[in-house]
Amino acid sequence: VLLHIDEGPDVDAQSEYAVRLASLFDARLVGLSCHHLSLPLGERGTPAFAEGDPLTTRMRESEDAAVGRETIFLRRCRQAGLKTFDAIRDEAPAAAALCAHALCTDLVVMGAPEPLEPRHALQRALIDAVLLGSARPVLVLPRAGHFEPGSGRAVVAWDGSLGAAHAASAALPLLRRMRCVDLVRAMPPDVECVASVPIDLERAAAWLSRHDIAVRVRLVPGERKAGRSLLCDAKAAGAK
């Protein structure tokens, strides 16, 4: 499991979730801190810090904060009794670093962007870049709420596409541990949700059932933006 140790206020909650997830699957947990330096380099290729320079001061503060987050992450791993864990520093841009390290992991864990933070646009762009560029599945954790890996209800959106099949397949280890799974399709606004269940949705439900997953198929009323409809439905269903 690869965890992005970001600069958000909820990094501790994300670390806690990742630690519990790694413990649940007896997996190795790696915390990746992306600290991209843009200072001029000295003779030996190291950042040339200039005392009193505002940019140097900010970079040093950022460096100290990164070290602090890594220390807390490692301490949490030790306290949880994880067998194998590590913290890695990569000075490449965050998206490139995450996608590169994801090649040798099974799952990437990141935090969702915080709407009220000044860095919201940058956080959203990072998540989009990793979702599209990662060779491994990416689990994006909400900023609010408490979540236990492998428990409660999950909602799986299914539109019969290749992407939906890949996402559901990648999520099988987690779905097997959920109490129940809703397989959901957002219907177009002009289609009644009392319509018969599409055949591809029935096939997907049968496939999940063969993996010993308790599945419930549902059709939900859609909007122009299907994603918004599915998020509202997942919240109403109590998905975690």
mmCIF file of all heavy atoms in Angstrom, residues 106-107 136-138 164-175 207:
data_model
loop_
_atom_site.group_PDB
_atom_site.id
_atom_site.type_symbol
_atom_site.label_atom_id
_atom_site.label_comp_id
_atom_site.label_asym_id
_atom_site.label_seq_id
_atom_site.Cartn_x
_atom_site.Cartn_y
_atom_site.Cartn_z
ATOM 1 N N ASP A 106 0.357 -2.232 -4.800
ATOM 2 C CA ASP A 106 -0.948 -2.783 -5.168
ATOM 3 C C ASP A 106 -2.063 -1.748 -5.093
ATOM 4 O O ASP A 106 -3.096 -1.890 -5.739
ATOM 5 C CB ASP A 106 -1.308 -3.960 -4.251
ATOM 6 C CG ASP A 106 -0.342 -5.122 -4.392
ATOM 7 O OD1 ASP A 106 -0.071 -5.515 -5.536
ATOM 8 O OD2 ASP A 106 0.148 -5.625 -3.364
ATOM 9 N N LEU A 107 -1.861 -0.715 -4.271
ATOM 10 C CA LEU A 107 -2.909 0.286 -4.060
ATOM 11 C C LEU A 107 -2.283 1.608 -3.659
ATOM 12 O O LEU A 107 -1.326 1.642 -2.887
ATOM 13 C CB LEU A 107 -3.869 -0.185 -2.957
ATOM 14 C CG LEU A 107 -5.000 0.765 -2.556
ATOM 15 C CD1 LEU A 107 -6.022 0.891 -3.692
ATOM 16 C CD2 LEU A 107 -5.687 0.271 -1.283
ATOM 17 N N ARG A 136 -1.859 1.481 -10.948
ATOM 18 C CA ARG A 136 -2.541 0.752 -9.881
ATOM 19 C C ARG A 136 -3.793 1.511 -9.454
ATOM 20 O O ARG A 136 -3.902 2.720 -9.663
ATOM 21 C CB ARG A 136 -1.608 0.566 -8.684
ATOM 22 C CG ARG A 136 -0.353 -0.220 -9.006
ATOM 23 C CD ARG A 136 -0.668 -1.694 -9.268
ATOM 24 N NE ARG A 136 0.555 -2.444 -9.556
ATOM 25 C CZ ARG A 136 0.960 -2.765 -10.760
ATOM 26 N NH1 ARG A 136 0.237 -2.381 -11.819
ATOM 27 N NH2 ARG A 136 2.067 -3.459 -10.944
ATOM 28 N N PRO A 137 -4.748 0.823 -8.825
ATOM 29 C CA PRO A 137 -5.964 1.508 -8.360
ATOM 30 C C PRO A 137 -5.632 2.562 -7.309
ATOM 31 O O PRO A 137 -4.669 2.429 -6.551
ATOM 32 C CB PRO A 137 -6.815 0.380 -7.781
ATOM 33 C CG PRO A 137 -5.854 -0.739 -7.491
ATOM 34 C CD PRO A 137 -4.793 -0.632 -8.530
ATOM 35 N N VAL A 138 -6.449 3.608 -7.280
ATOM 36 C CA VAL A 138 -6.250 4.727 -6.360
ATOM 37 C C VAL A 138 -7.478 4.856 -5.473
ATOM 38 O O VAL A 138 -8.604 4.946 -5.972
ATOM 39 C CB VAL A 138 -6.017 6.042 -7.129
ATOM 40 C CG1 VAL A 138 -5.799 7.202 -6.142
ATOM 41 C CG2 VAL A 138 -4.826 5.917 -8.074
ATOM 42 N N ALA A 164 -15.263 0.676 -15.665
ATOM 43 C CA ALA A 164 -16.037 0.177 -14.520
ATOM 44 C C ALA A 164 -15.605 -1.233 -14.148
ATOM 45 O O ALA A 164 -15.483 -1.568 -12.966
ATOM 46 C CB ALA A 164 -17.527 0.206 -14.854
ATOM 47 N N ALA A 165 -15.339 -2.055 -15.162
ATOM 48 C CA ALA A 165 -14.899 -3.426 -14.899
ATOM 49 C C ALA A 165 -13.539 -3.454 -14.217
ATOM 50 O O ALA A 165 -13.312 -4.203 -13.268
ATOM 51 C CB ALA A 165 -14.858 -4.218 -16.203
ATOM 52 N N HIS A 166 -12.609 -2.608 -14.691
ATOM 53 C CA HIS A 166 -11.275 -2.547 -14.085
ATOM 54 C C HIS A 166 -11.361 -2.061 -12.635
ATOM 55 O O HIS A 166 -10.678 -2.595 -11.751
ATOM 56 C CB HIS A 166 -10.378 -1.613 -14.888
ATOM 57 C CG HIS A 166 -9.861 -2.241 -16.153
ATOM 58 N ND1 HIS A 166 -9.255 -1.502 -17.159
ATOM 59 C CD2 HIS A 166 -9.845 -3.523 -16.575
ATOM 60 C CE1 HIS A 166 -8.901 -2.314 -18.148
ATOM 61 N NE2 HIS A 166 -9.260 -3.538 -17.812
ATOM 62 N N ALA A 167 -12.182 -1.039 -12.389
ATOM 63 C CA ALA A 167 -12.304 -0.494 -11.043
ATOM 64 C C ALA A 167 -12.897 -1.520 -10.083
ATOM 65 O O ALA A 167 -12.415 -1.687 -8.961
ATOM 66 C CB ALA A 167 -13.167 0.777 -11.073
ATOM 67 N N ALA A 168 -13.955 -2.212 -10.509
ATOM 68 C CA ALA A 168 -14.580 -3.214 -9.652
ATOM 69 C C ALA A 168 -13.635 -4.378 -9.387
ATOM 70 O O ALA A 168 -13.567 -4.907 -8.272
ATOM 71 C CB ALA A 168 -15.870 -3.709 -10.292
ATOM 72 N N SER A 169 -12.892 -4.782 -10.391
ATOM 73 C CA SER A 169 -11.940 -5.874 -10.221
ATOM 74 C C SER A 169 -10.836 -5.494 -9.240
ATOM 75 O O SER A 169 -10.448 -6.292 -8.377
ATOM 76 C CB SER A 169 -11.334 -6.249 -11.575
ATOM 77 O OG SER A 169 -10.392 -7.289 -11.443
ATOM 78 N N ALA A 170 -10.333 -4.265 -9.355
ATOM 79 C CA ALA A 170 -9.282 -3.811 -8.453
ATOM 80 C C ALA A 170 -9.776 -3.714 -7.018
ATOM 81 O O ALA A 170 -8.994 -3.873 -6.069
ATOM 82 C CB ALA A 170 -8.756 -2.455 -8.918
ATOM 83 N N ALA A 171 -11.073 -3.453 -6.843
ATOM 84 C CA ALA A 171 -11.638 -3.282 -5.504
ATOM 85 C C ALA A 171 -12.072 -4.599 -4.856
ATOM 86 O O ALA A 171 -12.517 -4.583 -3.699
ATOM 87 C CB ALA A 171 -12.839 -2.335 -5.570
ATOM 88 N N LEU A 172 -11.946 -5.718 -5.541
ATOM 89 C CA LEU A 172 -12.430 -6.996 -5.007
ATOM 90 C C LEU A 172 -11.914 -7.318 -3.604
ATOM 91 O O LEU A 172 -12.699 -7.753 -2.752
ATOM 92 C CB LEU A 172 -12.083 -8.136 -5.970
ATOM 93 C CG LEU A 172 -12.991 -8.298 -7.193
ATOM 94 C CD1 LEU A 172 -12.471 -9.417 -8.089
ATOM 95 C CD2 LEU A 172 -14.424 -8.589 -6.758
ATOM 96 N N PRO A 173 -10.617 -7.139 -3.308
ATOM 97 C CA PRO A 173 -10.158 -7.463 -1.948
ATOM 98 C C PRO A 173 -10.914 -6.702 -0.861
ATOM 99 O O PRO A 173 -11.206 -7.255 0.207
ATOM 100 C CB PRO A 173 -8.678 -7.073 -1.982
ATOM 101 C CG PRO A 173 -8.293 -7.205 -3.417
ATOM 102 C CD PRO A 173 -9.500 -6.754 -4.187
ATOM 103 N N LEU A 174 -11.240 -5.431 -1.128
ATOM 104 C CA LEU A 174 -12.001 -4.658 -0.154
ATOM 105 C C LEU A 174 -13.483 -5.035 -0.160
ATOM 106 O O LEU A 174 -14.110 -5.143 0.899
ATOM 107 C CB LEU A 174 -11.855 -3.162 -0.432
ATOM 108 C CG LEU A 174 -10.526 -2.516 -0.027
ATOM 109 C CD1 LEU A 174 -10.479 -1.077 -0.523
ATOM 110 C CD2 LEU A 174 -10.338 -2.566 1.471
ATOM 111 N N LEU A 175 -14.040 -5.242 -1.347
ATOM 112 C CA LEU A 175 -15.462 -5.559 -1.445
ATOM 113 C C LEU A 175 -15.802 -6.870 -0.748
ATOM 114 O O LEU A 175 -16.889 -7.023 -0.180
ATOM 115 C CB LEU A 175 -15.882 -5.629 -2.924
ATOM 116 C CG LEU A 175 -15.790 -4.320 -3.716
ATOM 117 C CD1 LEU A 175 -16.196 -4.543 -5.168
ATOM 118 C CD2 LEU A 175 -16.647 -3.235 -3.080
ATOM 119 N N TRP A 207 -21.368 -11.841 -11.271
ATOM 120 C CA TRP A 207 -19.909 -11.974 -11.153
ATOM 121 C C TRP A 207 -19.449 -11.682 -9.737
ATOM 122 O O TRP A 207 -18.650 -12.427 -9.159
ATOM 123 C CB TRP A 207 -19.244 -11.031 -12.151
ATOM 124 C CG TRP A 207 -17.778 -10.820 -11.918
ATOM 125 C CD1 TRP A 207 -16.786 -11.747 -11.986
ATOM 126 C CD2 TRP A 207 -17.150 -9.587 -11.556
ATOM 127 N NE1 TRP A 207 -15.564 -11.172 -11.697
ATOM 128 C CE2 TRP A 207 -15.761 -9.851 -11.432
ATOM 129 C CE3 TRP A 207 -17.619 -8.285 -11.343
ATOM 130 C CZ2 TRP A 207 -14.858 -8.859 -11.080
ATOM 131 C CZ3 TRP A 207 -16.711 -7.300 -11.009
ATOM 132 C CH2 TRP A 207 -15.344 -7.588 -10.884
#
